[in-house]
Every structure is written in C-alpha cells, then in structure tokens.
Amino acid sequence: MFIIGEKINGMFKNVSEAIATKNKLIIQELAKKQLEAGADALDVNVGPASADPLKDMEWLITVIREVTGMPLAVDTTKLAVMEKGLSLAGPGSFLNSTSGQKEKLDLLLPLAKKYNSKVIALTMNKSGVPANAEARLEIAANIVAAAMEHGIETENLYIDAVILPVNVAQDHARAVLETIKQCKLICDPPPKTILGLSNVSQGTLNRPLVDKTFLVMALALGLDAAILNPLDKELMDSMITAELLLGKNIYCDSYLDAYRKK
Ligand code: THG
C-alpha cells in the first residue's frame, strides 16, 4: 500500500505552533521520522488556524524540500494555495483534493495537468458526502470521466470515498468499504482508491484500535493508498500483516523486519 504520512497538518498543535513561530526543525523532524517509519509521501496542510495559508504552505514545502525530495500531498481547499503548493512540490506530488462537482474539477484538474501531479478526488458534491455506496460511486464515475477529458490517466487518479467518524456516521463505514470494492469496476485500468484513515476514529475512546481494524478491512477490499500516522507501529504492523495474508508479499518468518529493510 502507498502510505502518505498525515503528521504535517496544522490540525496538530505542535505543527500549528511550528508554523506560527517558523520553527523549521520541528517540521523537518516530522518529515524525516515519517519517511523512516515507511511513508512513501507526506501530506502538507497548514491547518484551520493559519492567518496566511499561501505564505504558510510556501514555507512548509520549502523547509520540507531542504530534507527530502519525496512526493508531497498538497492538502488545501484554496485554489491559489494549491497552485503555489503544486509548483513548489514538483512533479509526482498529489493534488489533495478536489470534490466531484464539475466546477471544482474544471478548476483543479488543469492544475494537476500543468504540474504533472496525481489527483486525489473526494466522492462528495455540494450537498456533502452521500450516505450510501451507490451515490458515492456515481460521483466517482463522474470524476473518472472528467479526468479522462482533462488528459489525466486513471492510474494517477485516487478516489477517496471519504470516511467520517464512526461515532457520528456509523452507517458510512460499510458504504466506504463497498465503494472501495466497486471503484475497480468503473473502467479499465481502474482508478486507485485512498482514505484519510484517522477520520474514522475521531472522538472514539480507542483510536488506534479503530484505525487499524478499519485499515485491514479496507485493504481486503482493495484499498491502494492511505493518509495515516506511520509513527503508529501497531498500525503499520497490521498493514504489513494484512498485505502478507492477501498474498502481496511472500511469507518468511521475519516478514515484519524484511518489509522494513525493503
Ligand atoms: N481525505 C483526504 N485528505 C485528508 C483527509 C481525508 N486530509 C486531512 C485528513 N482527512 C487526514 N489527516 C488527519 C490528520 C489528523 C487527524 C485526522 C486526519 C486527527 N487529528 C487530531 C484530532 O482531530 O483529534 C488532532 C488533535 C491532536 O492530536 O493534536 O485525528 O479524509 N484526501
């Protein structure tokens, strides 16, 4: 599975403080630690408290690029911040994210094309996230069609079925799993699928347990990528073990160590 580290997000207090005080060592440590723990890319989000999202995104990506050239997921809803972020992150990074409305797709997909970025697209529209899989899949199909029209290959398109906290939207978890499964039937080659995993456990008492259980279920249904906390070792071990049991790696007694040495 492709892992995008979630920790560089102004939603976390240590990150919003580091942004406010321009403490680049905190950000660079978070970047290095997540990559050492197995992240393939890093999510970058200035958070809701940012007074100047454009400048803060520019600063975050600049200081991250001093320590790594790995792909970044530019996580913002603001068009100007997205363009600045993608231009600094460079080719092979992720536009995170667009929703499924035509107006949004027509604004954002040309940016992904211009900067050679992969695209994360949420199965939501102006009414929000539909509760059932059928409506999510209908939005996903529209997104795939729009990507084709804009010359973006479906292998570079990541459909995010948007998992919500299980304590407020319990019926959504199954709908998300069903969407992940059926996304592969939309076209050939199919789009990839992704989740912002930690959403599922927000507000629950045992967050790590909820996260790792849902990740394993989603993996069994074909999930390709996740934005998650790679510093949670039990979560990473569950992922590696699930991939082993799904036949994605050949068994050896030390498979956990062998995976980490890859
Ligand atoms: N899909 C896509 N992008 C996303 C999401 C998604 N980006 C943001 C988010 N969802 C994924 N990242 C996080 C990061 C942190 C948390 C959840 C998801 C989180 N934060 C603590 C909280 O809210 O309780 C912050 C508090 C703290 O610990 O300091 O849980 O779904 N494409």
Side-chain angles (χ1 to χ4, degrees):
M1 195 186 57
F2 191 90
I3 299 162
I4 303 179
E6 72 177 12
K7 301 295 282 184
I8 304 181
N9 188 320
M11 207 198 293
F12 295 105
K13 199 156 167 261
N14 61 335
V15 172
S16 64
E17 282 173 6
I19 294 172
T21 59
K22 298 289 173 286
N23 184 339
K24 72 177 189 177
L25 286 181
I26 299 256
I27 303 299
Q28 291 175 336
E29 274 307 304
L30 276 174
K32 287 189 281 189
K33 267 168 54 187
Q34 291 186 94
L35 293 170
E36 276 161 22
D40 303 296
L42 303 170
D43 197 56
V44 185
N45 185 319
V46 298
S50 168
D52 190 343
L54 190 76
K55 278 271 164 304
D56 288 346
M57 182 63 82
E58 185 172 10
W59 180 77
L60 275 177
I61 295 180
T62 305
V63 303
I64 294 167
R65 278 285 172 258
E66 287 173 14
V67 296
T68 179
M70 290 294 271
L72 305 180
V74 182
D75 191 351
T76 178
T77 52
K78 298 187 169 65
L79 188 67
V81 179
M82 184 62 80
E83 170 135 35
K84 175 59 85 178
L86 293 179
S87 73
L88 292 168
S93 285
F94 292 79
L95 182 156
N96 186 20
S97 52
T98 174
S99 64
Q101 288 141 263
K102 189 171 187 317
E103 314 85 78
K104 290 274 180 197
L105 291 162
D106 286 342
L107 278 175
L108 287 159
L109 294 179
L111 282 187
K113 189 77 193 157
K114 180 171 173 191
Y115 294 104
N116 219 331
S117 317
K118 298 173 180 181
V119 173
I120 301 173
L122 312 175
T123 59
M124 61 185 291
N125 54 31
K126 52 180 176 306
S127 319
V129 188
N132 62 44
E134 290 69 27
R136 277 175 161 91
L137 284 157
E138 196 177 318
I139 298 172
N142 287 335
I143 293 167
V144 168
M148 286 175 171
E149 273 165 21
H150 285 274
I152 290 165
E153 297 186 10
T154 47
E155 292 113 310
N156 291 327
L157 176 64
Y158 290 70
I159 300 291
D160 183 336
V162 193
I163 184 66
L164 299 174
V166 66
N167 65 342
V168 297
Q170 189 171 359
D171 52 333
H172 280 237
R174 282 181 57 183
V176 165
L177 295 173
E178 191 59 34
T179 306
I180 289 167
K181 185 171 143 197
Q182 292 196 35
C183 256
K184 295 295 171 194
L185 307 174
I186 292 176
C187 63
D188 187 18
K192 295 204 166 72
T193 53
I194 188 166
L195 284 180
L197 181 69
S198 307
N199 303 359
V200 72
S201 64
Q202 275 174 322
T204 66
L205 264 188
N206 192 337
R207 293 196 66 173
L209 180 60
V210 175
D211 287 342
K212 62 174 169 280
T213 303
F214 194 60
L215 180 62
V216 167
M217 294 168 82
L219 269 170
L221 293 176
L223 185 72
D224 297 295
I227 303 167
L228 53 70
N229 176 11
L231 307 182
D232 180 343
K233 191 161 180 300
E234 284 196 13
L235 178 66
M236 296 296 280
D237 286 353
S238 297
M239 178 204 79
I240 295 161
T241 308
E243 291 195 322
L244 179 84
L245 293 168
L246 289 166
K248 296 191 176 181
N249 287 307
I250 293 174
Y251 180 81
C252 67
D253 284 339
S254 65
Y255 68 92
L256 286 175
D257 294 333
Y259 178 92
R260 295 205 167 80
K261 287 200 192 95
K262 274 201 306 200

